[in-house]
Amino acid sequence: MAGCRGSPCCCCRWCCCCGERESRTPEELTILGETQEEEDEILPRKDYESLDYDRCINDPYLEVLETMDNKKGRRYEVVKWMVVFAIGVCTGLVGLFVDFSVRLFTQLKFGVVQTSVEECSQRGCLALSLLELLGFNLTFVFLASLLVLIEPVAAGSGIPEIKCYLNGVKVPGIVRLRTLLCKVFGVLFSVAGGLFVGKEGPMIHSGAVVGAGLPQFQSISLRKIQFNFPYFRSDRDKRDFVSAGAAAGVAAAFGAPIGGTLFSLEEGSSFWNQGLTWKVLFCSMSAAFTLNFFRSGVQFGSWGSFQLPGLLSFGEFKCSDSDKKCHLWTAMDLGFFVVMGVIGGLLGATFNCLNKRLAKYRMRNVHPKPKLVRVLESLLVSLVTTVVVFVASMVLGECRQMSSASQTGNGSFQLQATSEDVNSTIKTFFCPNDTYNDMATLFFNSQESAILQLFHQDGTFSPITLALFFILYFLLACWTFGTSVPSGLFVPSLLCGAAFGRLVASILKSYIGLGHIYSGTFALIGAAAFLGGVVRMTISLTVILMESTNEITYGLPIMITLMVAKWTGDFFNKGIYDIHVGLRGVPLLEWETEVEMDKLRASDIMEPNLTYVYPHTRIQSLVSILRTTVHHAFPVVTENRGNEKDFMKGNQLISNNIKFKKSSILTRAGEQRKRGQSMKSYPSSELRNVCDEHVASEEPAEKEDLLQQMLERRYTPYPNLYPDQSPSEDWTMEERFRPLTFHGLVLRSQLVTLLVRGVCYSESQS
């Protein structure tokens, strides 16, 4: 930062989160000669590979086609439909297990803590209640962090990784069985531990893992379990099933099969075909109705009634029959919705900017340290969240009078909560009879119950409470997302936005006097605005929210709000998932190119000065290459000495190319001259040879600086690289433009790994 003083451009980069920095280990920084204060482009940190989604038309494939007939083709299609149905059912069962476990742990925790608070409010032992709540939350979060240590890919929501997978980038370990187990158990512990995370986002990842693993009938984690199932072994088939599984996860989370299909199409796969659409929709329907069937039977004892469509349902929005002036929304409200969309886009951009800075800080200061530090960070977040929730509920809450709707239950809320009384979700901490604590009602309930309170309870939250709740929840949710626990972002964003929308409705009704406003509609629009500003989804999110509300009339205001929120947020930064894709260094192509790129040609972006390496390149030369180039890969070549004269004399094209490329460094002389001139800027401490322990070398009589030695011989940076001939300016034309044989590519990360680990050969070895 010291070097940025007086530079407005640099200040803008830091404030707007536009600067990119690469996080490397200290060993890598030492080899590359970099420091952590330098701004760097974020490069891939893993050897990501591409998935082969195109059919390889070769001889074996043609032989398989020869054996195919109409009967085998129909059988193959029937098996595919059966597998798609099985993926949907299994995804629904996974959602049922997560929902049942979270509900069980949450009821146990809140039941014990609420009883303790009611008793200690009379005795003055609230510290004991706080310790009990800390004990529950820290235990659950510790278990979730341990599961992430077992499988680090299980951290976060998993949506960025699945998006990369569906677009052709193979992320290591993202669809393994161990990842699924750690994800499922980790998310139920993190949600039950009171962190501001949701279980709906990880459901998408879980469904994708089910879609990838179930058709294989085998697992890398369980190698002994294998079946002779000869179908669906290609990346193309696996991609289709992962698309169906991700859509099934959305359908199970929100009870939105059509929204899940559009999500997989809009945000997921860039490879799509017409036949896949119907299969993905069928899989989504199977997941939604499987979850609905079992949840309705378990909670209500009414098997086959289908009363609970998804893990998160917003209930039915309906004005009271006694209020004739109430309307869900009017044409005049569209102006307010547009303004809320702009504010939601600004809040979402701020959320993404802060979370990006936190993610970069973790990459530089937390991830390079021992894994226990990540667990301690998760426990710290849980500790701060628990204390803030407890203190805010006890101190900042207001005692509000229970309305008739809260006492008897209005019709819209009873449709969603027929299994439990409405008053069971209202907390009366430190409040007299017929009153309740509005802050505790939001904090000491599950996030789904808090969303329903904001959507369907009328006149029960003060503007001050809503403002404080929004600020606290915004900051803590931003801090939490990115920690080493499985975490989703949909529900926290919806709850935060619902508080914002309810605050706007309270201000319009109380201070402006707009009595026709329905608070639940503004809470829904606020939730859509904030969620759209964070994730930047449009079509699929519109349909998901419409299916969750079961109200088609909300289609227009939700769509307008999401479009305005996306346009406003895109003016400042990308969506949260795209940001984390970039931070992970995944080489994912954008949907559309920038305007400037349309003017470029291939020659404008290609590097004319190609840098290559030999199989026996010295350590000093490798360090020189890494420090003077930013290429991601380098060709490995050898010199074709045996038939170079016959080759060059007999090929007229090669002779013409030699005359044309006399100044090109694609030659032995030019490459050595370039590397020799670049060595004068390297400190001697960083040009160490890690193979010294394998090669016995004599100490020089005079301890002369290595840098000075290299400067003296900078025109011969490759001594002993060519034992039979040293570089010379007297080379003939054939020697200068000796043809090179290409053997393959070596990645930049592979070179760094080889240098760090000391994998090399002494010069005497062949």
Side-chain angles (χ1 to χ4, degrees):
M1 289 297 291
C4 293
R5 295 175 182 175
S7 176
C9 180
C10 184
C11 179
C12 178
R13 288 204 310 268
W14 279 85
C15 296
C16 299
C17 301
C18 298
E20 302 288 348
R21 181 194 301 269
E22 181 181 8
S23 174
R24 295 186 180 273
T25 61
E27 293 83 3
E28 294 173 344
L29 292 174
T30 302
I31 290 177
L32 300 181
E34 300 171 355
T35 59
Q36 293 188 355
E37 286 75 22
E38 296 177 353
E39 286 293 332
D40 240 348
E41 179 188 3
I42 295 182
L43 301 178
R45 290 172 183 80
K46 294 183 179 179
D47 297 337
Y48 293 109
E49 297 180 0
S50 61
L51 295 167
D52 190 7
Y53 287 162
D54 294 327
R55 287 191 175 94
C56 183
I57 309 299
N58 50 19
D59 291 339
Y61 180 74
L62 295 178
E63 292 177 1
V64 173
L65 291 181
E66 291 293 335
T67 60
M68 293 289 292
D69 53 13
N70 292 334
K71 183 177 180 180
K72 290 184 178 180
R74 287 193 297 267
R75 183 172 60 184
Y76 181 84
E77 192 69 16
V78 169
V79 172
K80 179 175 287 189
W81 279 96
M82 293 174 60
V83 171
V84 165
F85 175 75
I87 292 173
V89 172
C90 292
T91 304
L93 294 177
V94 170
L96 176 68
F97 172 76
V98 172
D99 178 71
F100 179 80
S101 302
V102 170
R103 187 182 299 271
L104 178 65
F105 291 147
T106 303
Q107 290 179 352
L108 173 64
K109 180 183 70 175
F110 283 141
V112 173
V113 174
Q114 183 173 354
T115 303
S116 176
V117 169
E118 293 175 353
E119 294 177 354
C120 290
S121 60
Q122 304 294 334
R123 303 177 184 177
C125 57
L126 288 177
L128 179 61
S129 302
L130 177 59
L131 291 178
E132 291 179 354
L133 184 60
L134 283 173
F136 278 108
N137 289 347
L138 292 178
T139 301
F140 290 146
V141 173
F142 178 73
L143 294 176
S145 299
L146 288 183
L147 291 171
V148 171
L149 291 184
I150 297 175
E151 186 55 69
V153 185
S157 65
I159 296 179
E161 291 82 359
I162 295 301
K163 181 178 179 179
C164 296
Y165 187 92
L166 292 177
N167 284 275
V169 180
K170 184 178 181 181
V171 181
I174 194 62
V175 290
R176 293 181 59 180
L177 177 62
R178 186 169 64 180
T179 304
L180 174 64
L181 296 177
C182 294
K183 194 81 170 186
V184 170
F185 286 96
V187 71
L188 66 90
F189 284 129
S190 59
V191 174
L195 294 178
F196 292 164
V197 298
K199 57 181 180 291
E200 284 72 17
M203 273 300 303
I204 301 173
H205 186 190
S206 301
V209 178
V210 172
L214 189 61
Q216 306 299 313
F217 285 93
Q218 62 183 7
S219 173
I220 298 178
S221 302
L222 302 176
R223 300 181 182 274
K224 295 183 179 180
I225 300 179
Q226 292 185 357
F227 297 92
N228 186 14
F229 191 71
Y231 301 102
F232 317 128
R233 297 301 181 189
S234 65
D235 290 338
R236 185 186 183 92
D237 293 332
K238 199 172 182 179
R239 184 268 324 272
D240 294 344
F241 290 124
V242 171
S243 301
V250 177
F254 298 97
I258 301 176
T261 304
L262 293 177
F263 173 84
S264 183
L265 176 61
E266 178 188 6
E267 290 295 321
S269 181
S270 60
F271 299 85
W272 200 266
N273 56 73
Q274 185 177 3
L276 183 62
T277 306
W278 184 236
K279 294 184 178 67
V280 171
L281 180 60
F282 178 67
C283 184
S284 302
M285 287 286 185
S286 303
F289 281 95
T290 299
L291 180 64
N292 197 343
F293 175 80
F294 284 100
R295 285 191 70 200
S296 302
V298 172
Q299 294 189 23
F300 298 154
S302 178
W303 297 92
S305 60
F306 298 103
Q307 301 180 23
L308 298 174
L311 299 180
L312 177 64
S313 181
F314 298 154
E316 183 180 358
F317 289 76
K318 182 179 180 182
C319 291
S320 176
D321 296 334
S322 60
D323 191 358
K324 301 300 182 181
K325 297 182 180 180
C326 176
H327 301 282
L328 292 182
W329 66 279
T330 61
M332 186 179 65
D333 296 335
L334 288 176
F336 297 113
F337 297 159
V338 171
V339 176
M340 292 176 64
V342 173
I343 299 176
L346 294 175
L347 293 174
T350 305
F351 184 95
N352 295 350
C353 180
L354 294 176
N355 188 262
K356 181 179 180 180
R357 301 310 303 176
L358 287 172
K360 286 188 174 183
Y361 178 83
R362 291 188 178 104
M363 294 167 62
R364 292 193 302 266
N365 301 284
V366 178
H367 294 175
K369 296 181 180 179
K371 294 183 178 180
L372 182 61
V373 178
R374 305 184 188 184
V375 179
L376 295 178
E377 184 202 11
S378 302
L379 295 178
L380 176 62
V381 173
S382 177
L383 175 65
V384 174
T385 302
T386 304
V387 173
V388 169
V389 166
F390 191 87
V391 174
S393 302
M394 301 301 108
V395 177
L396 302 179
E398 295 184 11
C399 293
R400 310 286 294 180
Q401 187 71 29
M402 289 187 182
S403 63
S404 59
S406 298
Q407 294 176 358
T408 61
N410 57 14
S412 62
F413 193 78
Q414 284 181 351
L415 289 173
Q416 173 64 24
T418 55
S419 63
E420 59 180 353
D421 190 24
V422 177
N423 293 330
S424 63
T425 60
I426 292 179
K427 307 303 178 183
T428 60
F429 295 162
F430 306 105
C431 292
N433 295 331
D434 296 333
T435 59
Y436 65 95
N437 190 325
D438 55 355
M439 185 71 78
T441 301
L442 295 176
F443 272 133
F444 272 84
N445 274 313
S446 63
Q447 298 178 92
E448 292 80 6
S449 299
I451 291 175
L452 292 176
Q453 288 278 352
L454 292 171
F455 282 172
H456 299 290
Q457 290 292 342
D458 189 19
T460 56
F461 302 99
S462 68
I464 298 178
T465 298
L466 291 173
L468 292 175
F469 176 80
F470 172 79
I471 294 174
L472 294 176
Y473 207 95
F474 180 93
L475 296 176
L476 290 175
C478 183
W479 186 21
T480 304
F481 188 74
T483 54
S484 295
V485 293
S487 57
L489 196 60
F490 276 95
V491 172
S493 299
L494 288 172
L495 180 54
C496 195
F500 157 68
R502 192 63 182 264
L503 175 62
V504 173
S506 300
I507 294 175
L508 293 178
K509 293 177 68 174
S510 302
Y511 299 98
I512 300 181
L514 299 179
H516 72 281
I517 287 179
Y518 182 65
S519 300
T521 299
F522 276 77
L524 175 64
I525 296 302
F530 186 79
L531 181 58
V534 172
V535 301
R536 314 288 165 80
M537 294 163 52
T538 53
I539 302 175
S540 58
L541 188 56
T542 301
V543 178
I544 288 172
L545 294 178
M546 287 174 55
E547 289 185 282
S548 300
T549 57
N550 207 12
E551 183 62 52
I552 191 63
T553 58
Y554 280 138
L556 179 62
I558 290 176
M559 182 180 64
I560 293 177
T561 304
L562 289 175
M563 289 174 59
V564 174
K566 174 180 171 55
W567 291 340
T568 304
D570 287 342
F571 185 77
F572 297 96
N573 50 31
K574 296 182 179 180
I576 188 67
Y577 298 133
D578 293 328
I579 288 176
H580 281 266
V581 167
L583 291 176
R584 285 168 171 80
V586 181
L588 181 66
L589 293 178
E590 299 290 341
W591 289 101
E592 297 180 358
T593 60
E594 300 291 340
V595 179
E596 292 79 5
M597 292 185 180
D598 296 334
K599 307 174 185 178
L600 299 176
R601 299 177 179 268
S603 58
D604 297 329
I605 62 174
M606 294 181 66
E607 174 60 48
N609 299 326
L610 182 63
T611 303
Y612 55 88
V613 297
Y614 294 96
H616 290 79
T617 304
R618 294 173 60 88
I619 299 299
Q620 291 92 335
S621 302
L622 293 179
V623 175
S624 171
I625 292 171
L626 292 174
R627 294 197 54 189
T628 56
T629 63
V630 293
H631 307 312
H632 293 187
F634 304 95
V636 180
V637 299
T638 56
E639 296 182 359
N640 189 359
R641 298 190 175 190
N643 58 347
E644 60 182 21
K645 294 184 178 180
D646 297 336
F647 178 77
M648 296 184 68
K649 292 179 180 179
N651 194 323
Q652 186 65 27
L653 179 61
I654 293 296
S655 301
N656 294 335
N657 287 338
I658 288 176
K659 297 178 182 178
F660 181 73
K661 290 186 171 291
K662 285 187 177 181
S663 61
S664 173
I665 67 161
L666 293 174
T667 60
R668 183 180 175 190
E671 176 71 6
Q672 292 190 358
R673 185 180 300 107
K674 177 190 174 185
R675 296 182 187 178
Q677 293 175 353
S678 64
M679 281 199 168
K680 58 185 179 182
S681 60
Y682 302 145
S684 59
S685 60
E686 297 179 5
L687 292 175
R688 63 184 187 277
N689 191 337
V690 295
C691 290
D692 288 346
E693 58 185 12
H694 302 291
V695 182
S697 59
E698 297 181 359
E699 292 291 334
E702 299 180 359
K703 295 184 177 180
E704 189 177 11
D705 185 27
L706 179 59
L707 176 61
Q708 185 63 30
Q709 297 178 14
M710 297 180 64
L711 287 175
E712 293 178 356
R713 60 185 184 189
R714 59 181 179 270
Y715 294 106
T716 58
Y718 296 103
N720 298 328
L721 183 59
Y722 311 102
D724 57 340
Q725 185 177 5
S726 300
S728 174
E729 295 294 335
D730 299 330
W731 281 342
T732 63
M733 180 65 68
E734 288 79 5
E735 291 173 337
R736 285 180 177 274
F737 298 95
R738 177 172 291 157
L740 303 176
T741 302
F742 174 74
H743 295 280
L745 292 174
V746 58
L747 298 178
R748 184 184 189 90
S749 58
Q750 292 174 337
L751 283 180
V752 173
T753 303
L754 292 175
L755 294 176
V756 171
R757 297 182 179 179
V759 180
C760 55
Y761 299 94
S762 60
E763 294 182 8
S764 60
Q765 287 184 269
S766 58

